[in-house]
Amino acid sequence: MKKIIVLNGPNLNLLGTREPEKYGSSTLADVETLCIDTAKRLGFDVEFLQSNHEGPLIDKIQEAGLAHRAGTVQGIVFNPGAYTHTSVALHDAIAAMSGLPVIEVHISNVHAREAFRHHSYISPVAAGIVIGFGIQGYALAMEGLAQKS
C-alpha cells in the first residue's frame, strides 16, 4: 500500500498549548489521529515526522522523493511552520525531488497575520496549498494527494 508522509516543522509539537487562539486546542496527537483515519479512508498508509530542525525534514523529503519514484509514496503533506518563511534549504530539497507532490499546510491563515508570514519559500515548489482550515487542512491536503497519480 502506498504511503503519505506527514511532516511538521518547528514548534508544532506544542499544538494544543501554544497560542490556542491562533492554532486551536488540538494537539499533534490529534493531527496524527485525523491523518491516520483519513489515510485509511483513502486507502493509504501514513508516516509522521515532526522536527524542530531542518536536517531531519530535508532527509525525509529526499527519502520520500526516492520512494515516490519507486512507487511506494504518494506524496507529502507538509506544515513547515516558521521554516515556511525562512528556509531556502527546504525549498531546494523539494525542488530536487521533481515529481514528488508536496502539499503545504498551515493551520492558521498566514495571510491574515504578520507581514513576514505572507511570503513562503515552500509555495513555489508545492503542488498545492491548504491554509486556514485548522487541523482539518491536513485531511484536505491528503484528499488532494489522493487525486494525484
Side-chain angles (χ1 to χ4, degrees):
M1 183 179 305
K2 275 191 176 180
K3 215 182 332 186
I4 292 175
I5 310 294
V6 179
L7 300 180
N8 285 285
N11 299 311
L12 288 159
N13 56 307
L14 301 176
L15 282 177
T17 59
R18 176 186 176 216
E19 301 177 272
E21 67 282 359
K22 287 184 182 130
Y23 302 109
S25 58
S26 298
T27 66
L28 191 57
D30 296 329
V31 170
E32 290 185 9
T33 299
L34 171 67
C35 290
I36 289 167
D37 292 346
T38 303
K40 192 178 297 182
R41 178 174 53 79
L42 296 170
F44 293 95
D45 285 331
V46 66
E47 180 182 339
F48 300 94
L49 173 68
Q50 185 280 323
S51 181
N52 292 319
H53 308 280
E54 283 176 301
L57 297 168
I58 291 167
D59 291 343
K60 186 54 77 174
I61 290 166
Q62 292 175 359
E63 178 186 310
L66 297 174
H68 178 71
R69 289 180 193 147
T72 60
V73 164
Q74 182 74 4
I76 295 176
V77 171
F78 189 18
N79 185 340
Y83 286 144
T84 303
H85 322 291
T86 64
S87 183
V88 173
L90 287 168
H91 166 103
D92 288 353
I94 295 167
M97 297 295 106
S98 61
L100 172 68
V102 175
I103 308 296
E104 180 182 353
V105 173
H106 298 284
I107 294 168
S108 68
N109 180 354
V110 294
H111 299 290
R113 296 182 59 195
E114 303 93 339
F116 72 86
R117 295 186 194 276
H118 300 175
H119 178 269
S120 169
Y121 283 98
I122 307 305
S123 294
V125 291
I129 306 163
V130 180
I131 296 174
F133 289 94
I135 69 166
Q136 192 60 37
Y138 288 85
L140 294 170
M142 293 176 83
E143 290 174 11
L145 274 178
Q147 300 301 313
K148 298 222 172 260
S149 54

